[in-house]
Amino acid sequence: MPISAREALGLSVDSTDEYRGEWYAVSGVNIVDGSKIQGEGKIETSALITKEVEVLLNINTVRDLEIAEKIMKEKKP
């Protein structure tokens, strides 16, 4: 998720990565099969670059949680 999108909502930015000249905040769901990392030290990963607001909701701080709760309440039908 572009760093500017997280910052615009007041969310923290802990992990970043650069792609094609733009900086992105790393967020998302981690699904790890522990049997694949024993002895290897690193596992294969993949990334999806998106601007969907729902992906922004990677919670790292209490403030992030408060913002996420507000967004989720606004999205309820």
Side-chain angles (χ1 to χ4, degrees):
M1 181 58 60
I3 289 174
S4 58
R6 284 188 61 86
E7 290 176 335
L9 290 172
L11 296 167
S12 66
V13 179
D14 293 331
S15 299
T16 61
D17 202 358
E18 186 268 337
Y19 179 73
R20 295 187 179 179
E22 187 169 1
W23 284 93
Y24 290 84
V26 179
S27 65
V29 176
N30 299 309
I31 302 171
V32 178
D33 179 351
S35 67
K36 295 193 176 205
I37 61 172
Q38 292 185 8
E40 293 179 32
K42 186 172 181 175
I43 59 173
E44 182 180 329
T45 63
S46 55
L48 173 67
I49 296 174
T50 181
K51 293 184 179 183
E52 293 179 43
V53 172
E54 293 82 2
V55 179
L56 287 169
L57 302 180
N58 190 48
I59 310 303
N60 297 308
T61 67
V62 173
R63 177 76 178 134
D64 289 350
L65 177 60
E66 293 167 351
I67 293 167
E69 287 173 336
K70 180 181 176 204
I71 290 170
M72 296 307 290
K73 285 178 185 174
E74 290 172 358
K75 290 207 168 270
K76 269 191 170 177

